[in-house]
Amino acid sequence: MFDVLIVGGNLIGATAALAIADSGYKVALLDQRPLKAPVFEDENYDPRVIAVAPASEKLWQRLGVWQSMLDHRAGYYDQMHVWEHQSIHFDAIESGVDALGHIVEQSVALKALYEAIETSDISVLPAESATHIELGNEQVPAVVKTANNSYRAKLVVAADGVNSPLRQMAGIDTKQFDYHQQGVVTTLHCPAGHQQTAWQRFTTAGPLALLPLGGNDDQYVSIVYSLDNEKADALMSLSDEQFVAQLNSDSEGVVGEITSCQKRFSFALRQVLASSYYRANLVLIGDAAHGIHPLAGQGANLGLADVTELSSLLATARAAGRSPAAEAVLASYSLARKPNNKLTAYAMTGFYWLFGNDNPWISAIRNDSVALVDNIGWLKKLAIGRASDTSM
């Protein structure tokens, strides 16, 4: 029997395994696929990137994996520029910080996490999907079944994504909102360089983010373009040459001439909020608890903040000789994380309506708001502080 069984070997689940095992718990990790990160080398980049906030960076530093990510490949940004008709510019020095954040490819982060797991006491279970869960309580372990195996654990942590099978098996309801949008992602080559700046433009089609990638003389950026379904489909249907021409126009030349793009991907955008973060001795973290709009790039950071809070509470429980499935422990986790995650999700929906709307009156409000923040120093510092704080 395990103290804690984590289902989901993604970024959040792998981090949770390391963080919880760090307190001395007997931890197991179950995923439907082998824990092997895809490899992107030289001028090939993973289209899935993470905008790592300072609080997330501190967690990975504590777990001993951050330096490995930096050594392999990571971009940083010490400036951020947001614009439509008006603009606002954030500078790390002006804000009193070393950097505003880092951009890390998901494959790079996973590689560092999996290497750390390999040298730990964490039990990596055979690659299978969880097919059934029998919930227990503080005294009775839960049982997670796969097609070929059965595992018992005092506490089961669901880190199995926004469609979380475990959440559904446990009968935890969700509130969902379909944005009727897609996020278009790819990597662009811009020989002039990205200037260690994160760029975001609010176009008439939707928000376009250009994120600085590391390596290759700073000549590559990752993009996330949030568009209504029809516009996203049209953009995805363009040839590479047409796509690059469109992005040169939409980016207004802030990274110089874009010369090429790598393979494009698109994904549906929706909000998914779990009605409860735990039931009996099952607890939800990351996207299993909250899937949000990617507009501010906070999804992964919120999940890592879940890990920080849950692992801290579990460490305290272990030191006090309490069960990891104690009601007080899981209730404290829910109380600490659910309101903040819900607030962020609703804020992203508000931004969606405000910044994804081409109504001229809404556009005027947007630009007046941007100009206001840019001209009031304490508001700019507050905005940077909130962007860097994964407790939001």
Side-chain angles (χ1 to χ4, degrees), residues 29 53 92 100 116 162 181 195 200 202 204 210-211 234 265 268 292 297 313 317 319 330 348 356:
L29 183 58
L100 300 181
V162 71
Q181 285 190 328
Q195 305 157 58
Q200 180 146 301
F202 296 107
T204 55
L210 299 99
L211 307 173
F265 299 87
I292 69 170
L313 289 167
L330 302 184
M348 292 307 99

Side-chain angles (χ1 to χ4, degrees), residues 164-177:
S164 180
L166 278 183
R167 184 187 66 217
Q168 297 175 44
M169 293 175 203
I172 298 176
D173 295 330
T174 59
K175 183 178 181 180
Q176 302 196 22
F177 176 76

Side-chain angles (χ1 to χ4, degrees), residues 119-136:
T119 60
S120 73
D121 293 328
I122 296 167
S123 298
V124 178
L125 304 175
E128 291 185 290
S129 297
T131 57
H132 181 72
I133 184 170
E134 295 175 7
L135 297 176

Side-chain angles (χ1 to χ4, degrees), residues 118-280:
E118 284 178 7
T119 60
S120 73
D121 293 328
I122 296 167
S123 298
V124 178
L125 304 175
E128 291 185 290
S129 297
T131 57
H132 181 72
I133 184 170
E134 295 175 7
L135 297 176
N137 53 46
E138 189 172 336
Q139 290 78 35
V140 179
V143 179
V144 173
K145 296 182 178 180
T146 67
N148 300 300
N149 292 287
S150 180
Y151 304 105
R152 298 166 67 238
K154 296 176 183 177
L155 177 68
V156 176
V157 179
D160 51 348
V162 71
N163 295 316
S164 180
L166 278 183
R167 184 187 66 217
Q168 297 175 44
M169 293 175 203
I172 298 176
D173 295 330
T174 59
K175 183 178 181 180
Q176 302 196 22
F177 176 76
D178 190 341
Y179 290 104
H180 302 291
Q181 285 190 328
Q182 297 173 46
V184 175
V185 297
T186 189
T187 302
L188 304 176
H189 185 210
C190 48
H194 52 58
Q195 305 157 58
Q196 278 73 48
T197 302
W199 309 87
Q200 180 146 301
R201 183 192 174 201
F202 296 107
T203 76
T204 55
L208 167 65
L210 299 99
L211 307 173
L213 295 169
N216 296 295
D217 297 322
D218 301 329
Q219 293 184 12
Y220 287 87
V221 296
S222 177
I223 70 157
V224 183
Y225 208 163
S226 301
L227 301 158
D228 292 342
N229 286 331
E230 185 176 337
K231 294 176 181 176
D233 290 341
L235 194 65
M236 289 294 291
S237 70
L238 298 177
S239 68
D240 284 354
E241 292 76 12
Q242 292 170 324
F243 181 83
V244 166
Q246 185 66 55
L247 265 294
N248 269 310
S249 174
D250 291 350
S251 65
E252 296 189 330
V254 292
V255 290
E257 182 185 4
I258 298 164
T259 58
S260 65
C261 68
Q262 296 182 10
K263 186 175 180 180
R264 287 166 268 161
F265 299 87
S266 66
F267 55 95
L269 302 182
R270 59 193 176 104
Q271 181 188 96
V272 179
L273 299 177
S275 61
S276 175
Y277 276 24
Y278 71 97
R279 175 159 295 174

